[in-house]
Amino acid sequence: MIKSDTIYIIGNGPSLNKIDLSKLRGKDTISFNRAYIAYDDWGFYPKFYMTVDTIVLQNIKEKIKELIETSSIDKFFLPLWSIEYFGNNNKICYLNLSNSRFFNRRIWGTSFNRLSLIANVGATSVPVLKILGYKNFVILGTDCNYVESDIKNVEIEYNPEDKQGRRIVYKSSGDSDPNHFRPDYFGTGTEYSKPQQGNHYKGWEFIAKNMKRKEVKIILCSPGSRLSGLFPERDFEEVIKEY
């Protein structure tokens, strides 16, 4: 059961550092991927957790298992193929996500078995959360301003036979990640897929084009975000008082 029709989508971009996340304690929230490195700093666990990237999930699966067993997170949204890692658990909702081009498939539905991967985990979460009953979505830390020129301490691995379509994997040997809210987000020992910046934006663009007819309201509270042309932008301090 949800207690509110508003959920805060906590992205992992640098603009997250401009927001006092402690004010989200008690609110309905969702976070993604390696955001758990900051849960102690935030002072709360999110209500929901989600990851869909193949390389990231494989790299952090032991930490996800730990969170499932020990945290107060209500529900974990994970891709169906990962059931081989986590098995059946009432805290897990498996998503049958298609990797085909999202704008040629149905992404809004009433079943977790009829959804598509929408370029990035944040955009993919919106139809998932809508199924749960949320109507207002406040986007935090979602900048879509990925830079490659400042990436350091990474080894690049090419996987031309990768059936998941993730052909380039970054392997980090240092805590120098410029694209997330902490330099150790994709820090020493982590592996992740090379972000497809253009597709990330297209995913959010697709959500923006369809949100009105789906009765979805999205508010952007990510200062400096490239998404400011897609969604109404408001000050977080004002939004937290209203929603």
Side-chain angles (χ1 to χ4, degrees), residues 54-72:
T54 302
I55 302 302
V56 171
L57 190 151
Q58 290 173 338
N59 190 240
I60 66 174
K61 60 181 182 292
E62 293 305 320
K63 181 61 182 182
I64 295 175
K65 287 181 181 178
E66 179 185 326
L67 289 170
I68 292 170
E69 294 171 0
T70 65
S71 78
S72 60

Side-chain angles (χ1 to χ4, degrees), residues 3 20 34 72 87 214 229:
K3 65 180 182 180
D20 182 1
R34 277 178 50 81
S72 60
K214 293 299 177 181

